[in-house]
Amino acid sequence: MVALPGVDPSWSAYLDVPSTSGADAPGTHHRWHYLDNGAGADGAPVRGTLLCVHGNPTWSYLWRTYLAAGLGEGWRVVAVDQLDMGYSARTGVFRRLEHRITDLEDFVAALGLHGPVVTVGHDWGGVVSLGYAERNRADLVGVILTNTAIHQDPARSIPAPLRLALAPGVHGLGTRTTTAFLDVTLALARPALDPSVRRAFRAPYRTPDDRRGIANFVSDIPADPSHPSHAALTTTAEGIRTLDVPVLMMWGPHDPVFSDTYLEDLAQRLPQADIHRFEHASHLVQEDADTATTAMQWLAARSVAVPTGDAETTASARSAGQDERPAFSPLGRRLRDLASGPDSGTIAVAELTPSGTRTLSWKDLDDDVAAVAAGLTALGYGPGSRVSLLVPPGIDLTVLIYACLRIGAIIVVADAGLGARGLSRAVRSSAPDVVIGIERALLAARAFRWPGRRISATSLTAARRRALRVDASLGDLRAARATADAGVQPEPDADAAILFTSGSTGPAKGVVYTHRQLSAMRDTVGATLGLGPGASLVAGFAPFALLGPALGATSVTPDMDVTAPRTLTAQALADAAAAIDATVVFASPAALRNVLASSDALSEDGRTALGRISLLLSAGAPIPVPLLEEVQALVPAAALHTPYGMTESLLVADTDLGGIRRAAAAAAAGLDGAGNGVCVGRPVHGAVIAISPLAPSGPDVQDHGHGARPHRPAPGAATGEPTTAPGVTGEILVDAPHVKDRYFRLWRTQQDSVRTHPWHRTGDVGHLDAEGRLWVEGRLGHVITSAAGILTPVGLEQALEMLGDVRLAAVVGVGPAGTQAVVAVLETAASRSAAAASGRPVRRRAGASASSLLRRPDQRARLAAPDLAAAAREVARERGVDLAAVVEVPALPVDIRHNAKIDRARVAAWSGRFLSGGRAGSL
């Protein structure tokens, strides 16, 4: 074998193996090629062996990163070239699945490999490795799978690329005569493979004879039950159901062959599996993502091949404190209590639409929930069923949520504001059993081929039902007869909900809550904000829309698009408040800005309704004090609260306008830790906050190469031990009963978020002051690591936004980590005025770029005018920061859900291009 990138030549080995396969005559031997990292060859102890099996048309080179990673973690890694593949012998015999499983057993026996063994497979190698695992359990301690399949639903065709590869006239030409099949497979890598790596994958397959195994592998795909290998595939598929070892599945969801459908099938057969979907990866997930490091982390975290006593000690430490959890009361308990009590006839939920006001009493709501629960049960849904709800906030969504929870189904909620692509990614990743949605959502389900059956939230004609492949409607569900056993008592620690994040820091993540955690969230909101039976609230902020009935509070959804906060007008807010005599309002900062902008049109009755508001809460993004002061004038009797939280923990800290003013005074008085960020108050009921300090910056702490380990942690990384000392900046950690259970099918992300037990790492950066208040300074990924030290962006951004012409500021780092230049990008009134003068008003598009604005000559980004640049530099110098550049833009990109969080990563990348003089492209 020639020298190859990423492969130590000493790893390459050959072995003559006697064959017991039915494909060969007795006494046949075959020469196998394999890669072996040699761990343990010097007598040093090893934890076990990873037995890696490639698929078609790759070879053992696919596992090179595993061989390297295994050396550092005490694992021997052996990666085989299957017969007729790679550099192993060309046998001249057609080998079917059953033969290949036996071939692997022959190789292991000849090598003298004994346990502990973890099988690792990809593509067709996943099937072969599972066949080996199922038949050789004595030494098996774990299974790792990447993009593979173990079962083909006979009601569905095999994927189109495989149908094409099997087609007469295409099969031989594409798989053997030419390198087309090989080339197409290698082209699936995201990003494209380095030319040297591509050459390495192609090296063993230079001639048609070399590629005979590729052709035979394709021919051996069991496309239907009549195929000769179908029986062996079925035996393995059913046999693995009883495997009782840890399992890890790592997946590239962009794979055109092994889609999430096959992942879901494997997850059902191996329910103990940990799963991580690398969102941007495709078929060659080992090339697209760092699966080797993930595998090593998983082996350690799951104590694979660790003596039982040690593993039990670790598990015991992890579960400490579980018995101290508060008593469990289901989320819908108060709904049922109120429905059967003296207030059963009072309004529970209301919604305002252009066509009028719709209301349900507590009894009507409970009856509706019971009916829909019965309808879902009749269709076969129940405990563990995943139900994707794509219905706007309002009565129907409330009914569906509580009906699903009542039968033990798992609600899946993704924000339509994610946009078509983001929403589709979220829905597909959750693998729903059924999608319940409005017609627009069902059109998307059809267009994007989302998994699961479909139920319409509205009435459709028979023709539309057929076109959208709808099985039933919400009306059909309501027509079902509710029975006493339609609901179940949910297990407290069973999954209850998958709620997707806003996607403001990358692809939206599914956040899993159990029934216990949802109930704890209800209790925290009630205890912190004093909400419960008798309260009446306007839910203008989507996350709070589901909590009204759980709190026993009357709730109303205003006439707005809750996924587009800026659609809330002052009159719509007042009309909603008047409909239920509301005393509480939830609204995002973006919604409040539009309320203020439209307040001149508010009627006298509207002003009276808002005058009865005693509590207003606004969350989701920082809220400037001037904005709060304007809001106070509109709701003069209200206490203005700005709770801090996230999808993973809806409430973490809370403060009010008075608290913000007191914090500002403390900062001015020099209180230790006060200032430099947004004050979000003190921990809420049941929550504890700590800080994991950041590693220092500077050129002496850099990692100088792909294989080299830095002497100290990467600059800006949150590596310090949790502390509550004032003035220490680091990642914000939270521990509370209402923190999420895990991320859905993002095992590595979850492990990183809980690596400091028992804390959840929020990804936000901040510090505490001497009086216990939390100050948020930005996101961990937005920390600037300059040669002068660590800089967090929010404090300086706040100071820059005090300059008269600046509407919004983003402070970002440009250049290599540790030596980044600090750049201020300012959205200014002058830039927006110039844009407006062109006749094309600037509209900051949430979640999108301002590229269309910046391409027009009269709306271009530019270096700031001398006076503004000088003022900005002076503000920065007062804070000990030297600005390398100050740039003016007409609009900064913000997140979709809140229309307020700046996409600093995008701004930083754009700034680097803009300042280098090249084509800057989209902001």
Side-chain angles (χ1 to χ4, degrees):
M1 188 182 76
V2 299
L4 298 171
V7 175
D8 185 327
S10 68
W11 294 346
S12 179
Y14 289 87
L15 182 68
D16 287 327
V17 177
S19 175
T20 65
S21 168
D24 298 317
T28 299
H29 284 66
H30 295 301
R31 188 167 176 79
W32 286 65
H33 174 259
Y34 63 101
L35 298 177
D36 185 345
N37 68 0
D42 58 357
V46 295
R47 293 178 57 183
T49 301
L50 303 187
L51 178 62
C52 302
V53 188
H54 67 85
N56 186 33
T58 58
W59 57 289
S60 57
Y61 183 70
L62 181 73
W63 305 108
R64 64 195 182 281
T65 56
Y66 286 66
L67 282 102
L71 283 173
E73 300 296 333
W75 285 91
R76 183 184 181 187
V77 181
V78 175
V80 301
D81 286 358
Q82 297 198 63
L83 292 176
D84 297 324
M85 302 293 287
Y87 287 100
S88 285
R90 271 39 179 180
T91 66
V93 176
F94 193 103
R95 316 189 80 79
R96 297 205 178 275
L97 173 59
E98 174 65 28
H99 305 142
R100 292 196 174 278
I101 296 172
T102 303
D103 289 341
L104 186 59
E105 292 174 322
D106 290 341
F107 171 82
V108 170
L111 189 63
L113 189 62
H114 300 288
V117 171
V118 177
T119 59
V120 188
H122 174 253
D123 187 86
W124 199 235
V127 183
V128 174
S129 69
L130 282 173
Y132 175 89
E134 195 273 327
R135 285 167 25 176
N136 297 271
R137 303 186 182 208
D139 289 337
L140 187 73
V141 295
V143 168
I144 297 176
L145 296 170
T146 61
N147 287 63
T148 186
I150 196 64
H151 170 72
Q152 177 61 44
D153 184 348
R156 299 168 62 101
S157 298
I158 62 173
L162 296 184
R163 294 200 302 273
L164 177 63
L166 284 165
V170 175
H171 173 251
L173 181 66
T175 59
R176 185 181 175 196
T177 304
T178 71
T179 60
F181 186 82
L182 174 62
D183 294 339
V184 169
T185 301
L186 297 179
L188 294 175
R190 297 163 60 101
L193 296 175
D194 182 88
S196 64
V197 172
R198 180 183 292 270
R199 287 192 296 271
F201 274 114
R202 291 170 56 92
Y205 302 116
R206 298 181 185 281
T207 70
D209 283 343
D210 291 337
R211 296 189 290 272
R212 184 187 297 273
I214 294 176
N216 290 349
F217 251 127
V218 172
S219 295
D220 199 40
I221 295 171
D224 58 58
S226 67
H227 191 279
S229 285
H230 185 267
L233 182 67
T234 301
T235 297
T236 300
E238 295 306 310
I240 64 172
R241 293 183 187 275
T242 58
L243 286 177
D244 59 356
V245 296
V247 178
L248 172 65
M249 301 181 196
M250 295 179 284
W251 220 260
H254 290 277
D255 192 332
V257 176
F258 299 114
S259 64
D260 281 333
T261 299
Y262 297 104
L263 172 61
E264 180 64 18
D265 174 73
L266 280 164
Q268 292 181 8
R269 294 172 191 275
L270 296 165
Q272 76 272 35
D274 295 307
I275 299 172
H276 189 94
R277 296 170 75 260
F278 290 94
E279 188 56 54
H280 297 294
S282 183
H283 179 68
L284 295 175
V285 64
Q286 292 86 344
E287 302 298 319
D288 299 347
D290 187 4
T291 61
T293 297
T294 304
M296 295 301 154
Q297 291 176 343
W298 175 79
L299 291 166
R302 289 290 175 258
S303 301
V304 177
V306 172
T308 302
D310 294 343
E312 289 177 349
T313 299
T314 300
S316 176
R318 288 282 179 185
S319 62
Q322 293 293 302
D323 295 336
E324 300 175 6
R325 294 176 298 186
F328 169 69
S329 171
L331 191 71
R333 173 67 56 81
R334 286 180 184 164
L335 163 58
R336 288 186 136 174
D337 291 345
L338 286 165
S340 60
D343 295 324
S344 62
T346 61
I347 294 177
V349 288
E351 67 175 90
L352 274 64
T353 67
S355 59
T357 301
R358 178 185 173 197
T359 65
L360 287 180
S361 69
W362 288 104
K363 185 178 186 309
D364 291 339
L365 176 59
D366 187 59
D367 288 346
D368 206 7
V369 168
V372 172
L376 289 169
T377 301
L379 290 177
Y381 303 112
S385 299
R386 289 191 290 273
V387 183
S388 179
L389 300 176
L390 297 173
V391 180
I395 289 178
D396 286 344
L397 179 60
T398 300
V399 169
L400 283 164
I401 286 172
Y402 286 91
C404 288
L405 296 176
R406 188 168 291 188
I407 65 171
I410 304 166
I411 60 171
V412 180
V413 181
D415 198 327
L418 291 172
R421 182 180 299 177
L423 180 61
S424 183
R425 183 188 296 122
V427 173
R428 294 187 69 85
S429 72
S430 68
D433 296 293
V434 60
V435 175
I436 304 179
I438 57 176
E439 185 172 358
R440 186 172 57 186
L442 298 177
L443 285 167
R446 176 71 189 273
F448 293 111
R449 302 178 67 183
W450 293 344
R453 297 164 68 186
R454 296 168 198 165
I455 295 175
S456 173
T458 56
S459 297
L460 299 174
T461 64
R464 295 298 285 169
R465 277 197 181 203
R466 287 193 298 272
L468 296 174
R469 299 177 184 172
V470 169
D471 293 336
S473 70
L474 181 55
D476 297 332
L477 300 182
R478 285 185 163 121
R481 168 172 273 179
T483 60
D485 60 353
V488 298
Q489 177 68 32
E491 288 294 325
D493 297 314
D495 291 351
I498 302 173
L499 310 178
F500 277 85
T501 62
S502 67
S504 61
T505 57
K509 299 183 287 291
V511 178
V512 179
Y513 279 93
T514 64
H515 288 273
R516 187 190 303 277
Q517 289 156 346
L518 282 184
S519 295
M521 182 191 301
R522 171 204 62 203
D523 297 342
T524 296
V525 170
T528 300
L529 304 174
L531 299 178
S536 51
L537 61 94
V538 179
F541 185 45
F544 286 93
L546 70 87
L547 285 176
L551 292 163
T554 299
S555 59
V556 60
T557 304
D559 182 10
M560 66 175 293
D561 179 354
V562 179
T563 65
R566 294 183 181 185
T567 60
L568 180 64
T569 65
Q571 191 61 52
L573 178 63
D575 290 344
I580 61 169
D581 291 329
T583 56
V584 183
V585 168
F586 293 90
S588 73
L592 291 179
R593 285 189 174 91
N594 199 58
V595 165
L596 290 170
S598 59
S599 61
D600 287 346
L602 195 57
S603 68
E604 280 304 312
D605 287 344
R607 293 186 185 277
T608 300
L610 293 181
R612 289 194 294 266
I613 301 299
S614 59
L615 175 63
L616 184 144
L617 302 107
S618 190
I623 308 171
V625 169
L627 175 62
L628 287 174
E629 290 172 339
E630 289 185 69
V631 171
Q632 186 73 82
L634 199 60
V635 285
L640 305 186
H641 281 249
T642 59
Y644 161 71
M646 57 215 66
T647 309
E648 295 88 341
S649 179
L650 192 60
L651 285 181
V652 174
D654 180 49
T655 190
D656 59 14
L657 178 57
I660 294 171
R661 288 169 172 158
R662 288 190 294 274
L671 179 72
D672 192 5
N676 191 38
V678 176
C679 178
V680 296
R682 295 181 175 86
V684 298
H685 175 79
V688 182
I689 294 173
I691 303 296
S692 175
L694 303 180
S697 180
D700 60 319
V701 296
Q702 298 312 294
D703 184 346
H704 298 290
H706 288 292
R709 291 179 178 269
H711 296 296
R712 288 194 279 170
T719 56
E721 288 297 313
T723 180
T724 57
V728 177
T729 292
E731 185 175 7
I732 299 168
L733 313 181
V734 59
D735 180 30
H738 58 281
V739 170
K740 59 108 169 86
D741 185 70
R742 66 190 186 280
Y743 292 110
F744 186 71
R745 293 185 176 174
L746 291 170
W747 181 86
R748 182 172 176 173
T749 306
Q750 169 63 13
Q751 287 299 112
D752 185 60
S753 76
V754 297
R755 68 180 187 269
T756 311
H757 184 73
W759 303 100
H760 164 69
R761 289 180 168 266
T762 66
D764 287 340
V765 176
H767 65 274
L768 296 165
D769 68 22
E771 294 179 352
R773 286 176 290 242
L774 176 64
W775 298 75
V776 177
E777 302 178 57
R779 291 287 296 172
L780 187 61
H782 302 159
V783 169
I784 300 165
T785 57
S786 71
I790 294 289
L791 173 65
T792 55
V794 169
L796 179 52
E797 288 171 351
Q798 289 178 312
L800 291 170
E801 287 168 1
M802 297 299 291
L803 296 175
D805 196 42
V806 177
R807 299 172 62 98
L808 203 60
V811 175
V812 297
V814 174
T819 58
Q820 289 181 321
V822 183
V823 176
V825 182
L826 309 178
E827 178 183 312
T828 62
S831 294
R832 293 175 69 86
S833 296
S838 71
R840 299 168 180 157
V842 175
R843 293 181 179 88
R844 186 189 297 121
R845 297 181 300 165
S849 73
S851 56
S852 61
L853 308 175
L854 300 182
R855 290 191 193 106
R856 295 199 290 270
D858 56 348
Q859 296 184 24
R860 291 184 184 279
R862 62 192 181 193
L863 291 176
D867 289 350
L868 176 60
R873 292 180 193 281
E874 179 61 26
V875 166
R877 274 194 295 270
E878 290 174 357
R879 305 178 69 87
V881 178
D882 288 325
L883 291 179
V886 182
V887 181
E888 281 187 77
V889 297
L892 284 165
V894 294
D895 72 297
I896 295 168
R897 177 174 293 173
H898 306 294
N899 298 173
K901 296 180 180 177
I902 300 169
D903 188 345
R904 295 189 189 92
R906 185 169 192 159
V907 174
W910 176 87
S911 299
R913 297 190 300 269
F914 176 80
L915 294 172
S916 68
R919 184 184 179 90
S922 300
L923 172 57

